[in-house]
């Protein structure tokens, strides 16, 4: 029984077709069929029921699929960690961040690296709560930041700071008003797949606002570019505005106020190294009252 056979079986299940799976795997259909039959012979029961029209999964096949996915994931994770150790005696620390946190996270990682100069880090942007939960529970990251509390039996989700959303506009607009309402303003907002957009949609609903959306984007950086181009006004987190280049753009408070909380998340069932635990501690201490930090 080989890992490759598990991967073949997973492809057949997910595509529900030997033809589509063989195209995806870049092998012939007869070779794929033979590999699945060999797998079934080795385990002693049918995984799939084949007909001229479709492929159906047996009850045992469903359970086997779940086990196979877990085994393949752990195999690739182990291989990756083995390659990591070619470059360092310590596996890289994998961190999931939000775009809006990138500036201050770099300060924390730099401080951590001052203590562990041989440490290798990998930074990924993970933007949805579901993707963050999956990355933590699948051991794809050690630490991840989210703008929602994650409720999961295996995850510790610890609030580290709260911030306002603000409206960003060119300096010469709004006659130096300190706050504005969002009614009738041309807005540049995140796409509706992102958690920030869900916060804003909830805000609009609670305050009976029908937003005038002129542009939807994937990144705050892109939103600021279009504000510079005078296509509309962007709603972004305050700390992102403070920590990024927003020259000639004015930050205006939104009335009524809208806030969010940032959480640090990690798997409580994972045996974290001393280095990972020290980085978690630095993330938390960075936002402790009175702790020095850059905005």
């Amino acid at each position: 029984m080989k890992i490759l056979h598990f991967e073949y079986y997973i492809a057949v299940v997910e595509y529900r077709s030997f033809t589509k799976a063989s195209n995806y795997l870049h092998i012939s259909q007869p070779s794929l069929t033979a590999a699945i039959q060999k797998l079934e012979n080795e385990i002693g029961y049918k995984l799939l029921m084949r007909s001229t029209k479709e492929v159906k999964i047996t009850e045992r096949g469903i359970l086997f699929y779940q086990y196979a996915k877990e085994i393949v994931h752990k195999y690739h994770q182990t291989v990756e960690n083995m390659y990591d150790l070619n470059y360092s005696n310590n596996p890289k620390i994998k961190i999931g961040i939000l775009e809006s946190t990138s500036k201050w996270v770099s300060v924390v990682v730099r401080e951590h690296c001052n203590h562990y100069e041989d440490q290798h880090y990998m930074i990924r942007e993970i933007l949805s709560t579901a993707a963050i939960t999956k990355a933590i529970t699948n051991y794809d990251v050690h630490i991840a930041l989210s703008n929602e509390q994650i409720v999961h039996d295996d995850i510790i989700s610890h609030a580290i700071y709260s911030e306002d959303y603000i409206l960003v506009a060119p300096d010469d607009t709004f006659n130096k008003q300190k706050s504005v309402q969002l009614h009738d303003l041309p807005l540049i907002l995140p796409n509706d797949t992102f958690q920030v957009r869900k916060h804003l949609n909830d805000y609009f609903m609670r305050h009976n606002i029908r937003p005038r959306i002129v542009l939807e984007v994937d990144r705050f950086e892109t939103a600021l570019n279009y504000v510079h181009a005078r296509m509309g006004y962007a709603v972004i987190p305050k700390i992102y505005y403070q920590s990024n280049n927003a020259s000639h753009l004015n930050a205006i408070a939104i009335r009524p106020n809208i806030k969010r909380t940032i959480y640090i998340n990690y798997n409580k069932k994972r045996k974290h190294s001393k280095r990972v635990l020290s980085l978690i501690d630095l993330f938390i201490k960075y936002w402790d009252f009175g702790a020095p930090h850059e905005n």
Side-chain angles (χ1 to χ4, degrees):
M1 198 175 298
K2 299 178 180 178
I3 286 289
L4 190 62
H5 290 161
F6 288 3
E7 293 179 329
Y8 286 175
Y9 175 67
I10 290 168
V12 173
V13 170
E14 293 183 347
Y15 281 97
R16 293 295 181 100
S17 163
F18 276 84
T19 302
K20 292 178 181 178
S22 63
N23 290 336
Y24 167 74
L25 296 165
H26 301 292
I27 63 171
S28 69
Q29 188 171 330
S31 296
L32 178 58
T33 300
I36 299 300
Q37 289 175 340
K38 183 177 180 181
L39 183 60
E40 290 176 325
N41 291 337
E42 287 189 38
I43 61 177
Y45 50 81
K46 286 287 185 182
L47 297 170
L48 303 167
M49 300 299 293
R50 307 162 182 80
S51 70
T52 56
K53 293 184 178 180
E54 60 182 346
V55 174
K56 292 185 177 180
I57 312 167
T58 66
E59 288 297 320
R60 288 181 176 179
I62 293 171
L63 291 174
F64 188 87
Y65 167 77
Q66 293 169 349
Y67 294 140
K69 287 277 286 186
E70 183 177 353
I71 290 168
V72 168
H73 172 77
K74 288 184 177 179
Y75 168 78
H76 287 296
Q77 186 179 56
T78 300
V79 170
E80 181 183 354
N81 288 339
M82 289 168 62
Y83 280 119
D84 287 348
L85 292 174
N86 282 331
Y87 301 100
S88 169
N89 290 326
N90 298 285
K92 60 189 170 190
I93 298 176
K94 301 174 185 178
I95 309 165
I97 69 168
L98 306 169
E99 180 198 1
S100 58
T101 65
S102 58
K103 178 67 175 180
W104 70 260
V105 167
S106 68
V107 177
V108 175
V109 172
R110 174 70 263 177
E111 182 179 351
H112 189 264
C113 191
N114 288 339
H115 295 287
Y116 304 102
E117 294 183 356
D118 63 338
Q119 184 60 57
H120 177 192
Y121 305 87
M122 184 181 77
I123 310 294
R124 296 172 50 195
E125 283 189 17
I126 311 177
L127 303 180
S128 75
T129 302
I132 293 166
T133 301
K134 183 178 179 180
I136 294 172
T137 55
N138 285 349
Y139 302 98
D140 292 331
V141 296
H142 295 90
I143 304 165
L145 300 174
S146 66
N147 54 21
E148 288 283 334
Q149 184 174 24
I150 294 178
V151 180
H152 191 284
D153 289 342
D154 295 344
I155 296 175
I156 292 175
S157 190
H158 179 83
I160 52 177
Y161 69 92
S162 294
E163 64 179 329
D164 293 336
Y165 286 102
I166 58 170
L167 188 77
V168 177
D171 279 343
D172 57 359
T173 54
F174 296 109
N175 297 318
K176 297 184 179 180
Q177 289 177 242
K178 292 185 177 180
S179 66
V180 294
Q181 294 183 318
L182 298 183
H183 292 278
D184 300 324
L185 295 180
L187 299 178
I188 301 168
L189 301 181
N191 286 316
D192 58 12
T193 55
F194 299 132
Q195 194 64 49
V196 169
R197 179 62 179 276
K198 293 177 183 177
H199 292 170
L200 296 175
N201 287 346
D202 179 64
Y203 174 85
F204 296 143
M205 184 174 295
R206 283 188 286 110
H207 295 285
N208 196 28
I209 297 171
R210 177 175 287 183
R212 180 185 161 202
I213 303 170
V214 296
L215 193 65
E216 296 174 89
V217 297
D218 283 344
R219 295 177 61 84
F220 295 126
E221 179 183 5
T222 305
L224 294 183
N225 289 337
Y226 284 99
V227 176
H228 279 294
R230 296 179 178 272
M231 286 196 62
Y233 312 126
V235 178
I236 66 172
K238 186 176 182 179
I239 289 172
Y240 179 79
Y241 171 83
Q242 293 174 336
S243 63
N244 286 270
N245 181 16
S247 58
H248 307 298
L249 296 179
N250 191 26
I252 306 165
I254 296 172
R255 188 176 71 249
N257 175 260
I258 176 172
K259 300 177 72 73
R260 72 172 184 175
T261 300
I262 300 298
Y263 295 81
I264 183 169
N265 307 279
Y266 53 96
N267 194 322
K268 65 183 178 184
K269 293 187 176 181
R270 184 172 183 172
K271 180 62 176 176
H272 291 293
S273 69
K274 178 182 176 182
R275 293 188 177 202
V276 172
L277 292 174
S278 68
L279 181 56
I280 292 171
D281 190 51
L282 282 178
F283 272 113
I284 295 171
K285 286 183 176 179
Y286 184 82
W287 290 102
D288 277 351
F289 179 77
H293 61 272
E294 297 179 11
N295 283 334

